[in-house]
């Protein structure tokens, strides 16, 4: 009654296709380099050259090439930039821990501590209001 299908369906899995596949480690490297690059941009915007150089070394190690450094400036306050850098360093720490990259994990933890201290020093009134 019905004619059999003679062509492959578009819903057939592509198990035999020669698609490039990346390993979990490669994906984590890409993700870690991206988070580190974002942290580098905020660090450069804050004018922390020594910290930026340490981050740039790790990005270069992961990507195989030195990163582009952030040249532009935003109108964000230093406290807001420190909060953003703290959040980015937290993301770096999570990926570095899942990747078992001790050097980057230590760098991220130090960055989180430094940005926490700098953000609280930049806005002491906020810290007093938040305390019960």
């Amino acid at each position: 009654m019905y004619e059999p299908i003679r062509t492959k369906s578009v819903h057939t899995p592509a198990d035999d296709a020669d698609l490039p596949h990346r390993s979990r480690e490669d994906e984590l490297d890409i993700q870690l380099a991206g988070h580190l690059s974002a942290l580098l941009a905020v660090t450069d915007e804050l004018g922390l050259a020594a910290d930026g150089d340490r981050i740039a070394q790790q990005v270069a190690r992961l990507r195989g090439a030195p990163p582009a450094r952030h040249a532009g400036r935003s109108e964000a306050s230093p406290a807001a930039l420190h909060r953003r850098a703290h959040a980015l360093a937290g993301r770096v720490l999570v990926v570095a821990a899942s990747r078992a990259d001790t050097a980057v994990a230590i760098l991220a933890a130090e960055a989180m501590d430094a940005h926490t201290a700098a953000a609280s020093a930049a806005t002491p009134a906020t810290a007093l209001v938040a305390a019960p």
Side-chain angles (χ1 to χ4, degrees), residues 14-71:
D15 291 335
D16 298 331
D18 288 332
L19 299 175
H21 295 285
R22 290 190 288 241
S23 67
R24 180 176 186 272
E25 290 79 20
D26 291 340
E27 290 292 335
L28 288 174
D29 284 349
I30 292 167
Q31 188 177 21
L32 185 58
H35 289 316
L36 279 170
S37 295
L39 179 60
L40 176 62
V42 176
T43 304
D44 282 347
E45 188 166 350
L46 284 166
L48 305 172
D51 294 335
D53 291 342
R54 289 178 59 203
I55 296 169
Q57 288 174 349
Q58 294 300 325
V59 173
R61 180 180 61 87
L62 290 167
R63 287 191 177 158
R69 300 296 290 257
H70 182 61

Side-chain angles (χ1 to χ4, degrees), residues 68-118:
R69 300 296 290 257
H70 182 61
R73 300 280 186 224
S74 69
E75 299 298 322
S77 69
L81 289 172
H82 283 295
R83 284 191 302 270
R84 183 171 180 208
H86 181 271
L88 289 167
R91 291 181 189 143
V92 168
L93 182 60
V94 168
V95 177
S98 66
R99 197 179 163 274
D101 192 333
T102 308
V104 175
I106 291 170
L107 177 69
E110 290 172 354
M112 287 180 72
D113 290 342
H115 290 295
T116 299

